[in-house]
């Protein structure tokens, strides 16, 4: 089958909204505030900003440049750079499949909790309600033993929304959805923060978060935490931004877009920190304890601590709860859509299937895996192990390998620098190559070594080895094996495109790779098969 005509964003603003929507996810709300508090408070903002400028934005620019230059999914783009590099792309596709399958269920929890906020249906013990009544968590990890209907039906609804948006396409589905969702998310979260700041004890929470502990700046772990937060929060390392940038028009300000997306993501994280710690300050004051005793992150913050806060609010608890969980739903949906789009784009390029067919088959398979595994008594254990290992030995490791392969082995950074400079308002220089060629791989490598050393010493969360071998190590290693195996399968159309790229480069016109827009027609990069909406060039 021939490759389908490449879709395009309607406007640059639409692309930016989608990129920002992908970056702003659940981790911005429930991870960043605690990471900042734990690693020096206000002082943490310094290494965080340095990490953004030396790793986050440079990696965004690299992924934007790859996607925009080759106008293809990650596997095909990498193959056009070097045939063995295709395996990295399929590895990232497998990572997206794993993340999408469990990420959706967290969004489904938030959907239910928006409803539970009406009347504070979790009662006097939010902890017991969440784990025992709602999730019905089993006593220990193991084989699937049942089905939790209260989690399953909102999960089905979440997947129905995601698949409909994806089936509508890049412009009519993803772009229109994010242009509505992202402004709505910002408005709702600002309202939430304003309400949190009016609570008794809010100042104590903010003091706890922002009081700088400068002594921690000498702790290498703090700097690693800063780079880790930037890496995981910007949707880099698992092909999302390569995919999204592949739908850009030829006139695309890549460096400017990366700056806007990176700063917007960090601004939202800072806003989330203010809202979360203002609320935790109120909770501590109401309980007569210190903020550090109630500060937490992750699932415990969202589904245990915040329900406790909502239950003790003197006025407006229902509204506060509904707004908070709606923010989680919106942030989760925009990120989930971007994750699944990576899989859709890769399969479309590989098979030549149309968008709707691919969404139904591949998106449907991802949804089915999610629905079968996670609305179960063992679902939380599987989620916890898969999330831990696919993040540490999937996203971060894939990002490290990508930087090493393209920067050190293939030495393609000057090529991508030249491409970005040709279309961008902010020119790259020596700092970009130093950041990607030196700082980023060294710090990511140290993160890998430190994490692996801990992992091999003690079992994560004390889980049985047999369980971790399947749900943890098995998932992480399985994604790598999948990438290698799929890349070994012959792909004649990709070989044709790569050959044409090489011929064009040999003629001295290597700045503009070509792509196969239709089965028997070659078109230069940037010339869309269907380009009637000139609004995107604004």
């Amino acid at each position: 089958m021939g490759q389908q005509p490449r879709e395009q964003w309607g406007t640059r603003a639409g692309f930016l909204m989608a990129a920002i929507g992908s970056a702003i996810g659940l981790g911005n709300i429930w991870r960043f505030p605690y990471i900042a508090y734990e690693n020096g408070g206000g002082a943490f903002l310094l290494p965080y900003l340095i990490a953004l400028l030396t790793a986050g934005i440079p990696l965004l620019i690299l992924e934007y440049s790859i996607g925009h230059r080759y106008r293809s999914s990650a596997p095909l783009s990498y193959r056009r750079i070097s045939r063995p590099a295709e395996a990295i792309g399929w590895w990232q596709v497998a990572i997206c499949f794993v993340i999408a399958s469990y990420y959706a269920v967290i969004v489904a929890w938030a959907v239910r909790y928006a409803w539970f906020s009406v009347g504070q249906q979790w009662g006097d013990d939010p902890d017991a309600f969440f784990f025992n009544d709602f999730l019905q968590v089993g006593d220990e990890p193991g084989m699937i033993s049942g089905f939790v209907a209260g989690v399953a039906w909102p999960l089905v609804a979440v997947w129905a929304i995601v698949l409909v948006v994806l089936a509508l396409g890049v412009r009519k589905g993803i772009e229109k959805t994010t242009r509505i969702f992202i402004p709505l998310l910002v408005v709702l979260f600002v309202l939430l923060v304003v309400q949190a700041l009016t609570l008794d004890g809010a100042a104590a929470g903010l003091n706890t978060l922002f009081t700088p502990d400068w002594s921690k700046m000498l702790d290498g772990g703090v700097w690693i935490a800063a780079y880790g937060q930037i890496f995981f929060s910007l949707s880099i390392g698992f092909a999302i931004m390569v995919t999204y940038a592949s739908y850009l028009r030829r006139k695309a300000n890549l460096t400017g877009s990366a700056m806007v997306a990176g700063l917007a993501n960090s601004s939202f994280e800072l806003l989330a920190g203010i809202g979360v710690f203002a609320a935790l300050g109120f909770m501590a004051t109401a309980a007569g304890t210190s903020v550090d005793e109630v500060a937490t992150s992750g699932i415990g913050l969202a589904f245990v601590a915040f329900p406790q806060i909502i239950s003790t609010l003197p006025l407006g608890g229902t509204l506060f709860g509904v707004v908070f969980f709606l923010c989680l739903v919106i942030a989760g949906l925009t990120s989930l859509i971007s994750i699944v789009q990576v899989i859709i784009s890769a399969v479309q390029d590989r098979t030549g299937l149309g968008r709707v067919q691919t969404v139904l088959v591949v998106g449907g398979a991802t949804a089915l895996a999610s629905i079968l595994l996670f609305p179960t008594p063992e679902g939380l254990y599987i989620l916890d192990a898969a999330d831990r290992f696919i993040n540490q030995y999937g996203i971060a490791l894939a990002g490290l390998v990508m930087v090493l392969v393209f920067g050190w082995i293939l030495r393609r950074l000057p090529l991508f620098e030249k491409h970005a400079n040709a279309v961008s308002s902010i020119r790259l220089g020596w700092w970009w190559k130093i950041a990607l060629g030196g700082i980023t791989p060294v710090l990511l490598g140290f993160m890998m070594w430190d994490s692996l050393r801990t992992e091999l010493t003690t079992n994560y969360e004390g889980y049985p080895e047999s369980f971790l071998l399947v749900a943890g190590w098995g998932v992480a290693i399985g994604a790598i094996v999948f990438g290698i195996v799929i890349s070994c399968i012959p792909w004649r159309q990709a070989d044709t495109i790569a050959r044409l790229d090489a011929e064009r480069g040999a003629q001295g016109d290597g700045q503009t790779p070509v792509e196969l827009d239709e089965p028997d027609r070659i078109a230069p990069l940037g010339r869309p098969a269907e380009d009637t909406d000139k609004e995107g060039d604004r």
Side-chain angles (χ1 to χ4, degrees), residues 387-410:
D387 178 65
R388 165 72 179 184
F389 282 81
I390 206 66
N391 272 281
Q392 294 296 328
Y393 311 110
I395 296 176
L397 184 57
L400 173 61
V401 171
M402 185 176 74
V403 171
L404 291 176
V405 169
F406 296 150
W408 290 13
I409 299 174
L410 299 178

Side-chain angles (χ1 to χ4, degrees), residues 301-388:
L301 172 68
F303 299 103
V304 177
F306 259 84
Q308 289 176 339
I309 294 168
I310 293 163
S311 294
T312 53
L313 285 174
L315 292 172
T318 295
L319 178 61
F320 188 91
V322 170
V323 170
F324 175 74
F325 287 110
L326 277 180
C327 286
L328 289 186
V329 171
I330 294 171
L333 279 175
T334 54
S335 295
L336 179 60
I337 287 167
S338 70
I339 294 167
V340 182
Q341 176 59 28
V342 173
I343 313 172
I344 300 300
S345 177
V347 174
Q348 275 191 284
D349 278 357
R350 187 69 174 81
T351 64
L353 291 173
R355 169 167 286 273
V356 175
Q357 291 173 291
T358 309
V359 169
L360 289 177
V361 175
V362 180
T366 310
L368 182 62
S370 178
I371 293 167
L372 290 177
L373 285 174
F374 296 104
T376 63
E378 292 72 28
L380 183 60
Y381 297 116
I382 300 172
L383 186 157
D384 189 30
D387 178 65
R388 165 72 179 184

Side-chain angles (χ1 to χ4, degrees), residues 24-38 102-110 130 189 229 232-233 268-269 271-273 275-277 280 295-306 324-325 327-329 331-332 380 383-384 387 391:
I24 295 177
L26 300 174
N28 297 67
I29 299 172
W30 73 28
R31 189 175 189 269
F32 171 78
Y34 186 77
I35 293 293
Y37 152 72
E38 196 177 43
Y102 69 74
Y103 201 88
V105 79
I106 304 175
V107 180
W109 297 346
F130 177 66
F189 211 82
Q229 176 62 27
F232 292 125
S233 71
F268 189 87
E269 287 195 319
L271 183 67
V276 166
F277 266 80
L280 290 175
T296 184
S297 66
I299 291 172
L301 172 68
F303 299 103
V304 177
F306 259 84
F324 175 74
F325 287 110
C327 286
L328 289 186
V329 171
L380 183 60
L383 186 157
D384 189 30
D387 178 65
N391 272 281

